[in-house]
Amino acid sequence: MPMQTTPSVFAAQVLMIRPAAFGYNPETAASNGFQAPQRGGEDAASAALREFDAMVDGLTGAGVGVLVWEDDLDPPRPDAVFPNNWLSTHTNGRVYLYPMATVSRRLEVRRDHVANLSRRYRVAEVVDWTGHAGRGQALEGTGSLVIDARRRRVFACRSSRTDPALVHAWAAAEGHEAVLFDAFDGAGRPIYHTNVICCVGEGFAACGLALVPAAQREGLRERLAETGMCMELSPAQIDHFAGNMLQLRTGRGTPLLVLSQAALEVLRPEQRRALEARTELLPVRIPTIEALGGGSARCMLAELFLADA
């Protein structure tokens, strides 16, 4: 395993929301080609809770701090397990609240939870962009934004959930360069979130470049390769959430890459070796959450960069 420590651009703590009403959401499925309706088997909500709790145990056992918030049933929020879409925190003390594309997901924005953050951590400013949703603009947090903090750069693929004007506004506010591109699945639909096809870690990036139009591909590859290595993921690997990984660091400062077991299993041996030369890997089994929710390990993690109060 690598001996170097990971710089503080990667979080050692994460926020996770334990779902109360997890299930297939037909409203979000309209733009999320990764979702599939349930077909028999274990109750989805119970299976999601089991997967969630096991993931929390895996993270804490690996040395990552985990803050768990409990969701409730009033009103039902089938996608609450994906908090990174409505909330992000930053080392400058800012907390962003984001405009969600669908009405059902706007219910996830919990200002009582944000107030709890302010009591526990040093919050300099809450930047509330949720009002943009009423003007038909969406920017779904670090689903839409893949942030390369070391190079002060943010990657975003255009979709109904990622408004280019808001990407540029966020980049300007945070002093980052915006790198916008397009990406499409096999049916020609825009990829709904950047973080299902792109990951930036310590010394590497991984991206489903084959899903990006040829005219944009080489420029994007060059930007990603500035991390040290750009690993190209195939469309089949993207379908199994190999792009939906998140680099964290443990309390000891060592790098830890969180990904689903499904993603790990589709990595080629040489790809896995290349990652293991740079970071420890923490695979988690979340098949129900992946199939019905259309998101994977990275989507379940909102990084906590705030200092303790």
Side-chain angles (χ1 to χ4, degrees):
M1 291 296 174
M3 300 301 294
Q4 76 275 16
T5 59
T6 307
S8 59
V9 294
F10 300 109
Q13 299 182 72
V14 293
L15 164 69
M16 299 179 69
I17 295 184
R18 194 170 189 266
F22 176 81
Y24 176 77
N25 184 345
E27 186 183 24
T28 57
S31 60
N32 182 346
F34 293 82
Q35 285 179 250
Q38 186 178 17
R39 291 181 172 84
E42 184 180 4
D43 173 70
S46 298
L49 284 174
R50 174 175 48 79
E51 293 169 8
F52 177 93
D53 291 340
M55 183 169 169
V56 171
D57 289 345
L59 286 162
T60 55
V64 175
V66 183
L67 172 63
V68 176
W69 286 340
E70 294 277 348
D71 190 31
D72 56 50
L73 290 169
D74 187 18
R77 305 173 185 89
D79 297 296
V81 74
F82 304 130
N84 79 308
N85 297 145
W86 67 267
L87 173 83
S88 71
T89 74
H90 303 271
T91 55
N92 58 13
R94 285 181 179 156
V95 174
Y96 280 82
L97 306 181
Y98 293 97
M100 308 294 284
T102 54
V103 173
S104 60
R105 295 214 62 190
R106 294 170 198 166
L107 299 172
E108 296 170 35
V109 181
R110 297 281 299 272
R111 288 170 177 80
D112 55 335
H113 284 331
V114 177
N116 289 335
L117 273 185
S118 298
R119 286 188 285 270
R120 180 166 180 161
Y121 300 100
R122 296 179 197 168
V123 174
E125 180 184 10
V126 176
V127 183
D128 188 345
W129 283 8
T130 57
H132 287 280
R135 298 189 285 275
Q137 291 178 291
L139 187 71
E140 297 196 336
T142 52
S144 296
L145 305 168
V146 171
I147 302 167
D148 181 356
R150 179 178 295 285
R151 279 152 286 274
R152 303 196 67 80
R153 185 175 288 161
V154 58
F155 297 91
C157 65
R158 302 173 184 88
S159 76
S160 60
R161 304 195 191 193
T162 303
D163 184 278
L166 292 184
V167 174
H168 283 294
W170 187 96
E174 292 300 314
H176 282 47
E177 174 196 7
V179 180
L180 279 151
F181 61 96
D182 299 295
F184 302 93
D185 65 18
R189 296 171 297 190
I191 297 294
Y192 80 108
H193 275 163
T194 315
N195 76 358
V196 295
I197 67 162
C198 185
C199 165
V200 174
E202 178 62 18
F204 74 93
C207 187
L209 289 169
L211 303 176
V212 177
Q216 302 175 24
R217 195 175 302 152
E218 193 55 37
L220 179 59
R221 188 199 313 275
E222 289 175 0
R223 294 297 185 86
L224 291 168
E226 292 179 21
T227 60
M229 176 188 73
C230 180
M231 176 182 294
E232 184 162 354
L233 301 171
S234 71
Q237 289 175 319
I238 294 296
D239 285 345
H240 289 82
F241 294 103
N244 196 239
M245 306 182 286
L246 179 63
Q247 180 81 74
L248 298 173
R249 61 185 174 95
T250 68
R252 303 181 305 278
T254 54
L256 183 74
L257 185 67
V258 185
L259 71 167
S260 74
Q261 185 65 36
L264 180 70
E265 290 174 358
V266 295
L267 292 177
R268 299 192 303 273
E270 67 274 18
Q271 291 175 319
R272 182 168 175 173
R273 288 192 296 269
L275 291 174
E276 288 175 334
R278 294 164 172 83
T279 179
E280 294 183 27
L281 305 183
L282 178 65
V284 294
R285 292 186 179 275
I286 47 173
T288 307
I289 292 171
E290 287 180 317
L292 274 68
S296 188
R298 194 277 170 264
C299 301
M300 296 171 66
L301 303 170
E303 297 126 297
L304 288 173
F305 289 109
L306 302 171
D308 290 338

